[in-house]
Amino acid sequence: MTHLLEIRNARRTFITPEGGHLAALDGINLDVGANEFVTLLGPSGCGKTTLLRAISGFETLDSGTMTLGGADLTALPPFRRPVNTVFQSYALFGHMTVARNVGYALEVAGVGKASREAQVAEALEKVGLAGMGARRPSQLSGGQRQRVALARSIIAKPRLLLLDEPLSALDRNLRQQMQLELKTLQHALGIAFIFVTHDQEEALTMSDRIVVMRSGHIEQIGTPREIYRHPKNRFVAEFIGETNLFPVTIDRVDGETALARTAEGVEMHLPSAGRKPGEQVTAILRPADFNLGPTGIPGTVTRAVYLGSDLYLFVQPQAGGPEIRVISRDGAGFDEGAAVHLAHDPARVHVLEAA
Ligand SMILES: Nc1ncnc2c1ncn2[C@@H]1O[C@H](COP(=O)(O)OP(=O)(O)O)[C@@H](O)[C@H]1O
Ligand SMILES: [Mg+2]
């Protein structure tokens, strides 16, 4: 696959007010395909915005290279890059109509009125706002304003759209609706999106690939499924979704599975591939990977929370150690104080080499 965007060893260090050095980008390597939806995910301050600003040209790199369609991107000033950005604050001009907001870049570029109007109408149509051009931003809902910002950002037909936490100001329902709309729009436009969020659920829902960042570097790049099922390390495992981590020692290997035990004595079964008795590893199981049944880890329910059709349980293992989080589909009456057994399929256990 040839990539639209190729970033190699990108570095950017800031001098902090205290006089220290802060590596906001600490050697970033990233490829983005021509019609790919890539999400940058990571805690606040990990360098997501700095990376987007470097791509759009509003920030320079200290070193490293960026190419778009094979051409050096860093040689171009921001307005010459076939890239546009959608911000969280939509930055719409309140005194201008929707149509003028959307067509403003074309107006500044001296595009004639007739051509401009046609392109504005096309962009509004694409985001589902046909016929709304005469309104002012204040006469629109939050979701509609978001769409105006989108229409404005795609009017110049960029090859790459950068979206910096565009949904974080919206309420939950609208946000979920916009997640689907954005994904559909990206597909219809056939261009690449680099979307920034610190919300792991949003990243899992929308992305072709997720880039997990931390302190200026990339911890892991993968499909939502790879990142969720096969996190490379504890940071990724804990950042992406609810998880149970068990530091265990392998006790014995029986064919396909191995028996392992935590320091407290909680017993787990894991895939035996490559495991040896005495080895220390971390076993990872998601809350939905446990089944409540007659066998398995014995424990007591300390808290039961109803989440619609699911039941969310905190279970204190009888042997001791941290509580185990469990999501159960069969919402039968498991109340606080109930004795349960937590069974799991050994094949569902993801094993990290380090304990
Ligand atoms: N212009 C700047 N001057 C000094 N420090 C900056 C500047 N821009 C960003 N930083 C610092 O770089 C780090 C990464 O910031 P940013 O890319 O905005 O993170 P994110 O978008 O992931 O929250 C943060 O510690 C931030 O304080
Ligand atoms: Mg940011």
Side-chain angles (χ1 to χ4, degrees):
M1 178 167 99
T2 57
H3 300 112
L4 176 69
L5 176 71
E6 297 191 359
I7 301 175
R8 291 291 173 272
N9 224 1
R11 291 182 187 277
R12 179 70 168 113
T13 299
F14 292 115
I15 309 290
T16 64
E18 299 75 33
H21 290 251
L22 188 137
L25 301 178
D26 196 9
I28 298 287
N29 290 287
L30 178 64
D31 295 330
V32 177
N35 188 12
E36 202 179 12
F37 195 121
V38 169
T39 296
L40 307 181
L41 175 69
S44 179
C46 71
K48 304 180 296 292
T49 294
T50 304
L51 184 54
L52 288 197
R53 286 173 56 81
I55 296 167
S56 61
F58 293 107
E59 193 66 74
T60 54
L61 295 178
D62 297 332
S63 61
T65 60
M66 286 190 296
T67 59
L68 197 119
D72 180 13
L73 196 56
T74 54
L76 298 175
F79 66 93
R80 300 288 294 275
R81 300 187 183 194
V83 173
N84 213 332
T85 308
V86 181
F87 300 98
Q88 181 188 327
S89 62
Y90 316 135
L92 299 177
F93 297 119
H95 63 286
M96 290 184 191
T97 62
V98 163
R100 191 145 176 241
N101 264 286
V102 171
Y104 193 66
L106 301 181
E107 192 179 322
V108 170
V111 176
K113 190 158 181 279
S115 163
R116 214 164 67 214
E117 281 174 2
Q119 291 183 61
V120 167
E122 189 190 333
L124 286 176
E125 168 94 47
K126 277 191 181 131
V127 299
L129 287 180
M132 303 276 231
R135 294 205 191 180
R136 306 246 169 206
S138 61
Q139 295 168 309
L140 299 176
S141 70
Q144 288 170 328
R145 280 202 282 272
Q146 172 68 251
R147 281 180 221 144
V148 175
L150 272 170
R152 184 185 52 186
S153 68
I154 60 175
I155 195 151
K157 304 205 163 41
R159 299 173 72 184
L160 172 62
L161 196 62
L162 310 174
L163 302 101
D164 198 352
E165 311 217 20
L167 306 183
S168 46
L170 305 179
D171 68 46
R172 192 180 163 81
N173 283 342
L174 183 54
R175 188 174 171 146
Q176 286 177 340
Q177 184 194 334
M178 288 302 299
Q179 287 173 3
L180 294 176
E181 283 187 19
L182 271 180
K183 187 83 187 94
T184 309
L185 182 70
Q186 184 260 338
H187 208 77
L189 291 172
I191 65 174
F193 275 26
I194 303 182
F195 180 89
V196 165
T197 182
H198 58 262
D199 178 338
Q200 45 92 12
E201 206 181 300
E202 195 160 279
L204 290 171
T205 323
M206 301 178 74
S207 322
D208 294 322
R209 282 189 308 151
I210 296 174
V211 178
V212 183
M213 291 179 67
R214 177 193 196 183
S215 312
H217 65 265
I218 294 174
E219 290 279 343
Q220 188 170 359
I221 303 179
T223 63
R225 193 179 172 75
E226 281 163 0
I227 297 271
Y228 190 79
R229 294 281 3 151
H230 305 289
K232 254 189 192 160
N233 54 40
R234 278 182 84 123
F235 176 81
V236 176
E238 290 184 303
F239 200 78
I240 308 283
E242 292 268 11
T243 193
N244 296 289
L245 296 168
F246 300 92
V248 291
T249 305
I250 306 294
D251 184 74
R252 61 165 199 270
V253 173
D254 284 325
E256 297 282 286
T257 61
L259 175 69
R261 230 179 247 112
T262 66
E264 292 84 10
V266 174
E267 290 192 350
M268 317 267 317
H269 298 273
L270 12 134
S272 62
R275 303 273 85 91
K276 292 185 201 69
E279 193 185 351
Q280 298 191 322
V281 296
T282 299
I284 295 181
L285 272 167
R286 301 291 183 182
D289 292 334
F290 287 102
N291 301 306
L292 298 165
T295 60
I297 303 164
T300 308
V301 175
T302 55
R303 205 142 61 90
V305 182
Y306 287 91
L307 301 172
S309 60
D310 292 340
L311 185 63
Y312 199 111
L313 300 174
F314 292 80
V315 175
Q316 176 60 59
Q318 215 173 70
E323 287 180 326
I324 300 174
R325 287 170 287 180
V326 179
I327 289 177
S328 175
R329 281 263 146 194
D330 31 82
F334 290 102
D335 291 322
E336 282 177 29
V340 292
H341 285 86
L342 304 177
H344 67 270
D345 175 359
R348 298 292 286 181
V349 181
H350 176 60
V351 180
L352 291 180
E353 294 301 326

